[in-house]
Amino acid sequence: MTISEQHSVGSQPDSTGHFGPYGGRFVPEVLMAPLEELECAYLAASKDPEFQAELNDLLTNYAGRPTPLSFAGRLSEMLGGAKIYLKREDLLHTGAHKINNCLGQALLARRMGKRRIIAETGAGQHGVATATVCALFGLECIVYMGEEDMRRQRLNVFRMRLLGAKVISVTNGSRTLKDAISEAMRDWVTNVHTTHYLLGSALGAHPYPMMVRDFHRVIGEETRAEILKREGRLPDSVFACVGGGSNAIGMFHAFLGDENVKLIGVEAGGHSDRLGEHAARFSGGSPGVLHGAHSYMLQDSDGQVALTHSVSAGLDYALVGPEHAWLHDEHRAEYTSIGDAEALAAALKLARTEGIIPALESAHAVAEALKRAPAAIGKVFVVNLSGRGDKDTDIYRENLPELDDSRA
């Protein structure tokens, strides 16, 4: 199925959850029934006007949608090329796009009678959003988080606990997102009858990549309407960071059928292109299976999942979402990478020209736009600013010691 054909039917995966050769459902037999239950519940809810009305009300009156499309005037003038707009997902309640998906899945869990929610988190924003919706709906909340990510994101760990969640430290493996997902899946296997796994990105076994994408489609749909109102035309390029890929696929989806709009996903280039020092799956990986899905994965010569690195905890994962793999192979989206130093520099530039401190994940997308803007005279760029940088204050302090008097 081509891009245009799939877009015409809503960009759904096929009946087995595949986007081309990617995706699917590679899980233990014990998880097949709950995944089928979830798929049925989601498909029914997607056609239920009452469910959609309640979700839209929550997105508007609780989460704060629609988010604005801000013109980065000083930044655009400084670069002297493209006009740069920022889709301000950082202004949502809890500080990132993650709340869109969490509200949708919490409503689904309630619909299925599941009162216990488990989740994984890397940067902590999904964990905070999950803890938030569990508090809102009166659900039990357990969040798995790698020990290293807990160190890097101490503020978000405290926020989750303040909201009533139990945060469980994962101390095995790389002690980051991959290991947190593994532990969450072990929990789910043991407690399938009472528990919903609120997966935070467009990853995992079907129906998660489809479902998470659909809960985030509002990002691209709003952007499309807003840029037509502001510029009278569609953007030339749309940028988004790609870890698992939820914010990016949510942004890209509305433009899949517009061949003149370039879709640019930005992975974590880390320290170098050496395996274990980055999280750039498309430039350093190959197809493999992890956590229930087949997609591009960083792996060693023996097929074992490789270690990853990024200054941003939310991009530090070995597998990319399967729909992104398909878009890559179909040449509909372009995927590149930005290193730690470039992301930090871009964050500093955005802070000092526009008064906006981005999440380090989003700073990767900003950095790619900064690189391309000077030569793109007359073009219109939109960058998905998927989260705000409050959560990354400790990482900024570690990497920009010249700004911190307390470290002198």
Side-chain angles (χ1 to χ4, degrees), residues 203-239:
L203 296 165
H206 179 64
Y208 281 106
M210 172 184 71
M211 183 175 66
V212 174
R213 176 203 67 195
D214 288 351
F215 285 137
H216 284 304
R217 288 190 315 187
V218 64
I219 301 171
E221 290 166 357
E222 286 180 4
T223 299
R224 186 185 182 89
E226 291 163 337
I227 199 67
L228 285 171
K229 184 177 180 180
R230 300 285 290 275
E231 289 289 331
R233 67 181 184 89
L234 295 177
D236 296 286
S237 299
V238 173
F239 299 80

mmCIF file of all heavy atoms in Angstrom, residues 203-239:
data_model
loop_
_atom_site.group_PDB
_atom_site.id
_atom_site.type_symbol
_atom_site.label_atom_id
_atom_site.label_comp_id
_atom_site.label_asym_id
_atom_site.label_seq_id
_atom_site.Cartn_x
_atom_site.Cartn_y
_atom_site.Cartn_z
ATOM 1 N N LEU A 203 4.814 2.915 20.061
ATOM 2 C CA LEU A 203 5.660 1.722 20.089
ATOM 3 C C LEU A 203 4.827 0.515 20.471
ATOM 4 O O LEU A 203 3.616 0.583 20.615
ATOM 5 C CB LEU A 203 6.761 1.905 21.145
ATOM 6 C CG LEU A 203 7.783 3.001 20.955
ATOM 7 C CD1 LEU A 203 8.522 3.240 22.261
ATOM 8 C CD2 LEU A 203 8.754 2.626 19.847
ATOM 9 N N GLY A 204 5.514 -0.604 20.677
ATOM 10 C CA GLY A 204 4.883 -1.775 21.245
ATOM 11 C C GLY A 204 4.018 -2.523 20.253
ATOM 12 O O GLY A 204 3.979 -2.242 19.056
ATOM 13 N N ALA A 205 3.297 -3.515 20.787
ATOM 14 C CA ALA A 205 2.455 -4.375 19.969
ATOM 15 C C ALA A 205 1.175 -3.648 19.555
ATOM 16 O O ALA A 205 0.680 -2.766 20.256
ATOM 17 C CB ALA A 205 2.116 -5.641 20.753
ATOM 18 N N HIS A 206 0.641 -4.043 18.425
ATOM 19 C CA HIS A 206 -0.643 -3.529 17.956
ATOM 20 C C HIS A 206 -1.705 -3.790 19.018
ATOM 21 O O HIS A 206 -1.739 -4.869 19.602
ATOM 22 C CB HIS A 206 -1.013 -4.262 16.656
ATOM 23 C CG HIS A 206 -2.318 -3.856 16.069
ATOM 24 N ND1 HIS A 206 -2.561 -2.592 15.599
ATOM 25 C CD2 HIS A 206 -3.482 -4.566 15.887
ATOM 26 C CE1 HIS A 206 -3.796 -2.529 15.128
ATOM 27 N NE2 HIS A 206 -4.376 -3.719 15.292
ATOM 28 N N PRO A 207 -2.564 -2.810 19.397
ATOM 29 C CA PRO A 207 -2.881 -1.581 18.662
ATOM 30 C C PRO A 207 -2.160 -0.321 19.132
ATOM 31 O O PRO A 207 -2.544 0.786 18.739
ATOM 32 C CB PRO A 207 -4.373 -1.439 18.944
ATOM 33 C CG PRO A 207 -4.499 -1.894 20.374
ATOM 34 C CD PRO A 207 -3.542 -3.054 20.494
ATOM 35 N N TYR A 208 -1.139 -0.441 19.994
ATOM 36 C CA TYR A 208 -0.537 0.761 20.573
ATOM 37 C C TYR A 208 -0.011 1.763 19.544
ATOM 38 O O TYR A 208 -0.305 2.962 19.660
ATOM 39 C CB TYR A 208 0.561 0.377 21.564
ATOM 40 C CG TYR A 208 0.024 -0.058 22.907
ATOM 41 C CD1 TYR A 208 0.040 -1.392 23.286
ATOM 42 C CD2 TYR A 208 -0.506 0.867 23.805
ATOM 43 C CE1 TYR A 208 -0.454 -1.805 24.521
ATOM 44 C CE2 TYR A 208 -1.004 0.467 25.045
ATOM 45 C CZ TYR A 208 -0.974 -0.864 25.396
ATOM 46 O OH TYR A 208 -1.465 -1.262 26.620
ATOM 47 N N PRO A 209 0.779 1.374 18.538
ATOM 48 C CA PRO A 209 1.277 2.401 17.604
ATOM 49 C C PRO A 209 0.150 3.176 16.917
ATOM 50 O O PRO A 209 0.243 4.396 16.740
ATOM 51 C CB PRO A 209 2.100 1.588 16.605
ATOM 52 C CG PRO A 209 2.533 0.382 17.369
ATOM 53 C CD PRO A 209 1.370 0.043 18.252
ATOM 54 N N MET A 210 -0.903 2.471 16.525
ATOM 55 C CA MET A 210 -2.059 3.121 15.896
ATOM 56 C C MET A 210 -2.803 4.003 16.898
ATOM 57 O O MET A 210 -3.132 5.167 16.614
ATOM 58 C CB MET A 210 -3.004 2.056 15.351
ATOM 59 C CG MET A 210 -4.333 2.581 14.852
ATOM 60 S SD MET A 210 -5.456 1.259 14.312
ATOM 61 C CE MET A 210 -5.896 0.511 15.902
ATOM 62 N N MET A 211 -3.061 3.473 18.071
ATOM 63 C CA MET A 211 -3.868 4.161 19.066
ATOM 64 C C MET A 211 -3.174 5.420 19.592
ATOM 65 O O MET A 211 -3.783 6.500 19.669
ATOM 66 C CB MET A 211 -4.157 3.199 20.223
ATOM 67 C CG MET A 211 -5.042 3.750 21.305
ATOM 68 S SD MET A 211 -5.429 2.481 22.538
ATOM 69 C CE MET A 211 -3.796 2.207 23.262
ATOM 70 N N VAL A 212 -1.893 5.300 19.924
ATOM 71 C CA VAL A 212 -1.153 6.457 20.435
ATOM 72 C C VAL A 212 -1.056 7.533 19.361
ATOM 73 O O VAL A 212 -1.225 8.728 19.631
ATOM 74 C CB VAL A 212 0.242 6.030 20.936
ATOM 75 C CG1 VAL A 212 1.066 7.247 21.321
ATOM 76 C CG2 VAL A 212 0.112 5.080 22.123
ATOM 77 N N ARG A 213 -0.788 7.123 18.116
ATOM 78 C CA ARG A 213 -0.783 8.086 17.008
ATOM 79 C C ARG A 213 -2.106 8.836 16.920
ATOM 80 O O ARG A 213 -2.147 10.060 16.792
ATOM 81 C CB ARG A 213 -0.533 7.357 15.696
ATOM 82 C CG ARG A 213 -0.614 8.264 14.462
ATOM 83 C CD ARG A 213 -0.919 7.469 13.211
ATOM 84 N NE ARG A 213 -2.253 6.898 13.248
ATOM 85 C CZ ARG A 213 -2.659 5.938 12.432
ATOM 86 N NH1 ARG A 213 -1.831 5.417 11.546
ATOM 87 N NH2 ARG A 213 -3.901 5.479 12.517
ATOM 88 N N ASP A 214 -3.211 8.091 16.998
ATOM 89 C CA ASP A 214 -4.518 8.717 16.837
ATOM 90 C C ASP A 214 -4.825 9.703 17.953
ATOM 91 O O ASP A 214 -5.429 10.753 17.718
ATOM 92 C CB ASP A 214 -5.602 7.652 16.759
ATOM 93 C CG ASP A 214 -5.585 6.881 15.447
ATOM 94 O OD1 ASP A 214 -4.838 7.283 14.530
ATOM 95 O OD2 ASP A 214 -6.312 5.867 15.345
ATOM 96 N N PHE A 215 -4.402 9.398 19.174
ATOM 97 C CA PHE A 215 -4.636 10.336 20.269
ATOM 98 C C PHE A 215 -3.788 11.600 20.120
ATOM 99 O O PHE A 215 -4.110 12.630 20.720
ATOM 100 C CB PHE A 215 -4.361 9.665 21.615
ATOM 101 C CG PHE A 215 -5.442 8.706 22.055
ATOM 102 C CD1 PHE A 215 -5.126 7.476 22.603
ATOM 103 C CD2 PHE A 215 -6.782 9.045 21.926
ATOM 104 C CE1 PHE A 215 -6.107 6.592 23.015
ATOM 105 C CE2 PHE A 215 -7.788 8.170 22.330
ATOM 106 C CZ PHE A 215 -7.454 6.935 22.875
ATOM 107 N N HIS A 216 -2.706 11.520 19.330
ATOM 108 C CA HIS A 216 -1.860 12.706 19.113
ATOM 109 C C HIS A 216 -2.107 13.396 17.773
ATOM 110 O O HIS A 216 -1.456 14.407 17.486
ATOM 111 C CB HIS A 216 -0.381 12.314 19.209
ATOM 112 C CG HIS A 216 0.103 12.092 20.611
ATOM 113 N ND1 HIS A 216 -0.001 13.043 21.601
ATOM 114 C CD2 HIS A 216 0.712 11.017 21.194
ATOM 115 C CE1 HIS A 216 0.505 12.574 22.724
ATOM 116 N NE2 HIS A 216 0.942 11.340 22.502
ATOM 117 N N ARG A 217 -3.018 12.885 16.949
ATOM 118 C CA ARG A 217 -3.263 13.497 15.637
ATOM 119 C C ARG A 217 -3.703 14.951 15.758
ATOM 120 O O ARG A 217 -3.517 15.734 14.825
ATOM 121 C CB ARG A 217 -4.346 12.722 14.882
ATOM 122 C CG ARG A 217 -3.896 11.369 14.371
ATOM 123 C CD ARG A 217 -4.908 10.760 13.437
ATOM 124 N NE ARG A 217 -6.272 10.877 13.950
ATOM 125 C CZ ARG A 217 -7.330 10.312 13.389
ATOM 126 N NH1 ARG A 217 -7.191 9.603 12.284
ATOM 127 N NH2 ARG A 217 -8.534 10.451 13.906
ATOM 128 N N VAL A 218 -4.265 15.292 16.902
ATOM 129 C CA VAL A 218 -4.728 16.659 17.126
ATOM 130 C C VAL A 218 -3.597 17.668 16.936
ATOM 131 O O VAL A 218 -3.832 18.812 16.529
ATOM 132 C CB VAL A 218 -5.364 16.781 18.532
ATOM 133 C CG1 VAL A 218 -4.353 16.522 19.627
ATOM 134 C CG2 VAL A 218 -6.040 18.121 18.709
ATOM 135 N N ILE A 219 -2.355 17.265 17.196
ATOM 136 C CA ILE A 219 -1.213 18.182 17.042
ATOM 137 C C ILE A 219 -1.113 18.656 15.591
ATOM 138 O O ILE A 219 -1.055 19.852 15.311
ATOM 139 C CB ILE A 219 0.104 17.502 17.465
ATOM 140 C CG1 ILE A 219 0.045 17.026 18.915
ATOM 141 C CG2 ILE A 219 1.282 18.459 17.264
ATOM 142 C CD1 ILE A 219 1.237 16.147 19.317
ATOM 143 N N GLY A 220 -1.065 17.703 14.662
ATOM 144 C CA GLY A 220 -0.948 18.056 13.256
ATOM 145 C C GLY A 220 -2.198 18.708 12.703
ATOM 146 O O GLY A 220 -2.110 19.619 11.862
ATOM 147 N N GLU A 221 -3.360 18.260 13.154
ATOM 148 C CA GLU A 221 -4.608 18.839 12.658
ATOM 149 C C GLU A 221 -4.713 20.308 13.045
ATOM 150 O O GLU A 221 -5.102 21.147 12.227
ATOM 151 C CB GLU A 221 -5.795 18.031 13.196
ATOM 152 C CG GLU A 221 -5.888 16.650 12.572
ATOM 153 C CD GLU A 221 -6.833 15.716 13.307
ATOM 154 O OE1 GLU A 221 -7.378 16.132 14.362
ATOM 155 O OE2 GLU A 221 -7.023 14.573 12.852
ATOM 156 N N GLU A 222 -4.356 20.622 14.298
ATOM 157 C CA GLU A 222 -4.353 22.028 14.715
ATOM 158 C C GLU A 222 -3.318 22.826 13.940
ATOM 159 O O GLU A 222 -3.572 23.953 13.508
ATOM 160 C CB GLU A 222 -4.055 22.132 16.214
ATOM 161 C CG GLU A 222 -5.196 21.718 17.112
ATOM 162 C CD GLU A 222 -4.841 21.851 18.581
ATOM 163 O OE1 GLU A 222 -3.730 22.336 18.905
ATOM 164 O OE2 GLU A 222 -5.676 21.460 19.413
ATOM 165 N N THR A 223 -2.134 22.258 13.780
ATOM 166 C CA THR A 223 -1.056 22.956 13.065
ATOM 167 C C THR A 223 -1.474 23.294 11.654
ATOM 168 O O THR A 223 -1.220 24.401 11.158
ATOM 169 C CB THR A 223 0.215 22.095 13.055
ATOM 170 O OG1 THR A 223 0.643 21.856 14.400
ATOM 171 C CG2 THR A 223 1.335 22.771 12.283
ATOM 172 N N ARG A 224 -2.090 22.343 10.976
ATOM 173 C CA ARG A 224 -2.529 22.555 9.599
ATOM 174 C C ARG A 224 -3.505 23.734 9.514
ATOM 175 O O ARG A 224 -3.360 24.626 8.676
ATOM 176 C CB ARG A 224 -3.185 21.279 9.073
ATOM 177 C CG ARG A 224 -3.565 21.330 7.607
ATOM 178 C CD ARG A 224 -4.324 20.077 7.186
ATOM 179 N NE ARG A 224 -4.643 20.139 5.773
ATOM 180 C CZ ARG A 224 -3.857 19.695 4.817
ATOM 181 N NH1 ARG A 224 -2.697 19.126 5.131
ATOM 182 N NH2 ARG A 224 -4.213 19.797 3.543
ATOM 183 N N ALA A 225 -4.498 23.750 10.402
ATOM 184 C CA ALA A 225 -5.476 24.834 10.394
ATOM 185 C C ALA A 225 -4.839 26.171 10.756
ATOM 186 O O ALA A 225 -5.140 27.211 10.141
ATOM 187 C CB ALA A 225 -6.615 24.504 11.358
ATOM 188 N N GLU A 226 -3.943 26.146 11.742
ATOM 189 C CA GLU A 226 -3.324 27.386 12.207
ATOM 190 C C GLU A 226 -2.401 27.999 11.166
ATOM 191 O O GLU A 226 -2.400 29.219 10.952
ATOM 192 C CB GLU A 226 -2.553 27.115 13.510
ATOM 193 C CG GLU A 226 -3.457 26.813 14.702
ATOM 194 C CD GLU A 226 -2.721 26.166 15.858
ATOM 195 O OE1 GLU A 226 -1.656 25.548 15.634
ATOM 196 O OE2 GLU A 226 -3.220 26.251 16.996
ATOM 197 N N ILE A 227 -1.594 27.175 10.485
ATOM 198 C CA ILE A 227 -0.651 27.728 9.516
ATOM 199 C C ILE A 227 -1.381 28.233 8.277
ATOM 200 O O ILE A 227 -0.969 29.225 7.653
ATOM 201 C CB ILE A 227 0.451 26.702 9.149
ATOM 202 C CG1 ILE A 227 1.659 27.419 8.524
ATOM 203 C CG2 ILE A 227 -0.068 25.616 8.232
ATOM 204 C CD1 ILE A 227 2.412 28.328 9.459
ATOM 205 N N LEU A 228 -2.478 27.593 7.907
ATOM 206 C CA LEU A 228 -3.279 28.099 6.783
ATOM 207 C C LEU A 228 -3.864 29.463 7.122
ATOM 208 O O LEU A 228 -3.931 30.356 6.269
ATOM 209 C CB LEU A 228 -4.388 27.105 6.440
ATOM 210 C CG LEU A 228 -3.961 25.840 5.700
ATOM 211 C CD1 LEU A 228 -5.116 24.840 5.613
ATOM 212 C CD2 LEU A 228 -3.437 26.171 4.293
ATOM 213 N N LYS A 229 -4.247 29.640 8.380
ATOM 214 C CA LYS A 229 -4.784 30.932 8.809
ATOM 215 C C LYS A 229 -3.692 31.989 8.859
ATOM 216 O O LYS A 229 -3.914 33.147 8.449
ATOM 217 C CB LYS A 229 -5.438 30.775 10.187
ATOM 218 C CG LYS A 229 -6.112 32.033 10.698
ATOM 219 C CD LYS A 229 -6.801 31.771 12.023
ATOM 220 C CE LYS A 229 -7.488 33.023 12.547
ATOM 221 N NZ LYS A 229 -8.168 32.784 13.852
ATOM 222 N N ARG A 230 -2.507 31.610 9.327
ATOM 223 C CA ARG A 230 -1.413 32.580 9.494
ATOM 224 C C ARG A 230 -0.711 32.916 8.187
ATOM 225 O O ARG A 230 -0.365 34.075 7.927
ATOM 226 C CB ARG A 230 -0.391 32.032 10.504
ATOM 227 C CG ARG A 230 -0.957 31.767 11.892
ATOM 228 C CD ARG A 230 -1.184 33.042 12.677
ATOM 229 N NE ARG A 230 0.060 33.659 13.060
ATOM 230 C CZ ARG A 230 0.753 33.325 14.151
ATOM 231 N NH1 ARG A 230 0.316 32.330 14.939
ATOM 232 N NH2 ARG A 230 1.867 33.940 14.453
ATOM 233 N N GLU A 231 -0.457 31.898 7.358
ATOM 234 C CA GLU A 231 0.348 32.088 6.154
ATOM 235 C C GLU A 231 -0.448 31.934 4.858
ATOM 236 O O GLU A 231 0.057 32.256 3.789
ATOM 237 C CB GLU A 231 1.507 31.088 6.141
ATOM 238 C CG GLU A 231 2.583 31.374 7.174
ATOM 239 C CD GLU A 231 3.414 32.616 6.827
ATOM 240 O OE1 GLU A 231 3.565 32.919 5.617
ATOM 241 O OE2 GLU A 231 3.904 33.280 7.764
ATOM 242 N N GLY A 232 -1.652 31.414 4.959
ATOM 243 C CA GLY A 232 -2.455 31.199 3.764
ATOM 244 C C GLY A 232 -1.985 30.029 2.922
ATOM 245 O O GLY A 232 -2.434 29.853 1.786
ATOM 246 N N ARG A 233 -1.103 29.215 3.476
ATOM 247 C CA ARG A 233 -0.602 28.036 2.763
ATOM 248 C C ARG A 233 -0.019 27.056 3.769
ATOM 249 O O ARG A 233 0.152 27.375 4.949
ATOM 250 C CB ARG A 233 0.459 28.429 1.743
ATOM 251 C CG ARG A 233 1.770 28.969 2.338
ATOM 252 C CD ARG A 233 2.718 29.343 1.222
ATOM 253 N NE ARG A 233 4.030 29.782 1.657
ATOM 254 C CZ ARG A 233 5.071 28.976 1.859
ATOM 255 N NH1 ARG A 233 4.943 27.667 1.701
ATOM 256 N NH2 ARG A 233 6.252 29.468 2.211
ATOM 257 N N LEU A 234 0.317 25.866 3.273
ATOM 258 C CA LEU A 234 0.929 24.859 4.129
ATOM 259 C C LEU A 234 2.418 25.137 4.320
ATOM 260 O O LEU A 234 3.025 25.831 3.494
ATOM 261 C CB LEU A 234 0.735 23.469 3.518
ATOM 262 C CG LEU A 234 -0.708 22.969 3.435
ATOM 263 C CD1 LEU A 234 -0.755 21.605 2.744
ATOM 264 C CD2 LEU A 234 -1.358 22.890 4.807
ATOM 265 N N PRO A 235 3.019 24.608 5.365
ATOM 266 C CA PRO A 235 4.468 24.809 5.558
ATOM 267 C C PRO A 235 5.267 24.047 4.512
ATOM 268 O O PRO A 235 4.780 23.088 3.909
ATOM 269 C CB PRO A 235 4.713 24.245 6.958
ATOM 270 C CG PRO A 235 3.632 23.232 7.154
ATOM 271 C CD PRO A 235 2.436 23.780 6.437
ATOM 272 N N ASP A 236 6.495 24.470 4.324
ATOM 273 C CA ASP A 236 7.403 23.743 3.435
ATOM 274 C C ASP A 236 8.028 22.554 4.144
ATOM 275 O O ASP A 236 8.260 21.512 3.531
ATOM 276 C CB ASP A 236 8.494 24.684 2.924
ATOM 277 C CG ASP A 236 7.925 25.804 2.076
ATOM 278 O OD1 ASP A 236 7.546 25.538 0.929
ATOM 279 O OD2 ASP A 236 7.846 26.939 2.588
ATOM 280 N N SER A 237 8.303 22.714 5.445
ATOM 281 C CA SER A 237 8.928 21.642 6.225
ATOM 282 C C SER A 237 8.362 21.637 7.634
ATOM 283 O O SER A 237 8.119 22.701 8.217
ATOM 284 C CB SER A 237 10.449 21.821 6.296
ATOM 285 O OG SER A 237 11.039 21.780 5.015
ATOM 286 N N VAL A 238 8.167 20.428 8.152
ATOM 287 C CA VAL A 238 7.711 20.227 9.523
ATOM 288 C C VAL A 238 8.759 19.389 10.243
ATOM 289 O O VAL A 238 9.201 18.356 9.727
ATOM 290 C CB VAL A 238 6.342 19.515 9.544
ATOM 291 C CG1 VAL A 238 5.948 19.163 10.974
ATOM 292 C CG2 VAL A 238 5.286 20.385 8.891
ATOM 293 N N PHE A 239 9.163 19.824 11.433
ATOM 294 C CA PHE A 239 10.233 19.174 12.190
ATOM 295 C C PHE A 239 9.688 18.641 13.516
ATOM 296 O O PHE A 239 8.902 19.320 14.184
ATOM 297 C CB PHE A 239 11.360 20.154 12.507
ATOM 298 C CG PHE A 239 12.039 20.752 11.312
ATOM 299 C CD1 PHE A 239 11.460 21.817 10.620
ATOM 300 C CD2 PHE A 239 13.265 20.270 10.879
ATOM 301 C CE1 PHE A 239 12.097 22.384 9.521
ATOM 302 C CE2 PHE A 239 13.911 20.828 9.784
ATOM 303 C CZ PHE A 239 13.312 21.878 9.101
#
